[in-house]
Amino acid sequence: MTEKTILRALAGKILPTPPIWMMRQAGRYLPEYRATRAQAGDFLSLCYNPDLAAEVTLQPIRRFGFDAAILFADILLLPQALGPKLWFVEGEGPRMETTTTMDQVRALKSKDLIHDTLSPVYETVKILARELPPQTTLIGFAGAPWTVATYMIAGRGSKDQGAAHALKTADRATFVALIDIITEATVDYLSEQVKAGAEVVKLFDSWAGSLKGDDFVDFALKPAARIISALKALHPGLPVIAFPREAGDGYIGFGAAVGADCVAIDNSVTPEWAAAHVQPGGCVQGNLSPVHMVSGGEDLVRETRRVVTAFRKGPHIFNLGHGITPDANPDNVALMIETVRSA
Ligand code: CP3
């Protein structure tokens, strides 16, 4: 049996101590990340520099000994590889050339050409597969089609994903064609990450929560199911983590419906609710609020223990409910890990 605790949890094992990693564990809250990013010049140059991207992936492993490393890249690299220009505005976030008409969807590059842009990402994975400690699991990732489409349609992040919802209503054929192209390209992108050495992949549907009713089924659940079944056909036994963030009741049965081995839980639901309603379906990941990485103290210790206790009766990977924020204190991360491992 494998020694890697993350892989054991993903296989459904209940471990005495849950394995741990953290969304955005390589990020601006770490001074060593900020130094390497400055060396790269900017965020995208860092993503496309395999040596430096591997270096920042390894930094939180060295500092904290997390049980998994997540490839350092971004969900917006795939749409960029399909053609639209991408840039980041300091202090604001991503900007992207918009894709809102059928002509623009048809003008996107063929999925066979994405690797021209994305090959440095695969190179990063190869370096990591060589350099990670033997007990550390390497996680690759991509954005889920709906979340990626929201950025392609609006050209930026938005609170309510209004532009994507509007296109879905006004020109459904274009919207569906875009979702299909992203879905197909995501299979190839993740498959290349696996060939390069990723042991697990995670699909981030950060904006799944704004899809309701049939839309949730059509544009969160079905694309994830297509991606996961295609990947598992190519790579039998590949463990997959799905993250339909803020899905609420949509979390119930989601893992089985999409064929994921683990469902990541955000902190809009309590760990007790997720343990009762989601964990019976298999491994769950989550779900301490990232706010505790800023505020620390007794609240952090109490809430960390609460998450561990709530999920103790089933397979669990300890994580935050969303990414750690730049204002977090690394000492609080150390305290969280110590608390999980002694709980
Ligand atoms: O988790 C990790 O450590 C792995 C790397 C990773 C990043 N982004 C690095 C990053 C992962 C898995 C992502 C996923 C991602 N990117 C998502 C899905 C998860 C989520 O957070 O909901 C989304 C929506 C994006 C798109 C994106 N990238 C946005 C909206 C932003 C700007 C917001 C922000 O935090 O600045 C980014 C930038 C980004 N991606 C940073 C990092 C470390 C910060 C960039 C910097 O150094 O300035």
Side-chain angles (χ1 to χ4, degrees):
M1 190 201 283
T2 172
E3 290 303 305
K4 296 196 181 193
T5 51
I6 295 268
L7 296 180
R8 293 178 66 195
L10 288 169
K13 299 284 178 302
I14 302 169
L15 305 174
T17 300
I20 316 176
W21 68 282
M22 195 172 70
M23 283 185 267
R24 293 276 168 100
Q25 63 191 21
R28 287 160 292 183
Y29 75 105
L30 289 179
E32 58 268 38
Y33 170 85
R34 296 195 297 269
T36 310
R37 195 181 81 148
Q39 195 188 333
D42 57 54
F43 173 65
L44 283 174
S45 306
L46 178 55
C47 289
Y48 288 116
N49 181 320
D51 290 319
L52 295 183
E55 167 58 23
V56 295
T57 307
L58 291 165
Q59 285 168 351
I61 308 304
R62 288 191 205 112
R63 190 194 262 256
F64 300 115
F66 285 114
D67 296 292
I70 182 159
L71 162 69
F72 188 84
D74 197 83
I75 66 161
L76 300 179
L77 304 187
L78 175 69
Q80 181 186 33
L82 289 168
K85 289 193 174 50
L86 170 69
W87 66 103
F88 280 81
V89 179
E90 193 61 49
E92 290 188 29
R95 295 288 183 277
M96 179 153 243
E97 253 174 1
T98 58
T99 304
T100 56
T101 66
M102 193 58 100
D103 284 346
Q104 287 169 333
V105 170
R106 292 207 178 104
L108 293 172
K109 286 187 197 161
S110 140
K111 67 184 177 118
D112 303 328
L113 299 177
I114 61 173
H115 311 301
D116 297 349
T117 304
L118 295 169
S119 58
V121 175
Y122 313 142
E123 197 51 44
T124 305
V125 175
K126 284 183 193 158
I127 297 171
L128 289 167
R130 276 199 310 271
E131 300 207 348
L132 277 170
Q135 71 277 15
T136 313
T137 301
L138 178 54
I139 303 176
F141 72 92
W146 160 250
T147 288
V148 170
T150 66
Y151 289 95
M152 294 180 79
I153 294 165
R156 56 185 299 163
S158 59
K159 258 210 184 88
D160 56 2
Q161 299 78 56
H165 285 290
L167 183 67
K168 169 161 57 64
T169 306
D171 184 355
R172 193 155 178 107
T174 295
F175 177 78
V176 169
L178 180 60
I179 292 282
D180 282 345
I181 285 176
I182 301 166
T183 301
E184 300 287 320
T186 301
V187 172
D188 290 17
Y189 179 41
L190 288 174
S191 181
E192 288 305 311
Q193 293 182 28
V194 174
K195 287 187 212 161
E199 300 170 279
V200 173
V201 296
K202 178 169 175 185
L203 208 47
F204 284 89
D205 211 349
S206 303
W207 302 120
S210 76
L211 290 169
K212 304 297 178 195
D214 288 345
D215 280 348
F216 182 80
V217 174
D218 290 340
F219 302 120
L221 197 149
K222 286 183 179 167
R226 270 173 69 189
I227 291 166
I228 295 169
S229 73
L231 278 174
K232 290 198 178 226
L234 293 165
H235 307 282
L238 173 72
V240 180
I241 304 171
F243 184 32
R245 192 169 75 90
E246 297 193 355
D249 284 348
Y251 271 123
I252 301 171
F254 190 83
V258 302
D261 302 85
C262 176
V263 177
I265 310 285
D266 69 82
N267 37 258
S268 69
V269 297
T270 66
E272 293 80 14
W273 181 89
H277 298 285
V278 190
Q279 202 180 24
C283 185
V284 290
Q285 176 179 285
N287 75 336
L288 183 69
S289 169
V291 78
H292 297 295
M293 299 302 101
V294 181
S295 51
E298 281 172 28
D299 286 358
L300 181 166
V301 172
R302 188 189 63 247
E303 291 302 308
T304 299
R305 286 190 183 135
R306 176 180 166 192
V307 170
V308 173
T309 303
F311 290 121
R312 188 159 254 155
K313 294 197 187 84
H316 176 219
I317 297 170
F318 192 95
N319 205 307
L320 303 179
H322 201 195
I324 187 170
T325 51
D327 54 345
N329 181 344
D331 293 343
N332 292 332
V333 176
L335 178 58
M336 170 187 75
I337 294 172
E338 191 187 301
T339 305
V340 172
R341 292 190 173 151
S342 65

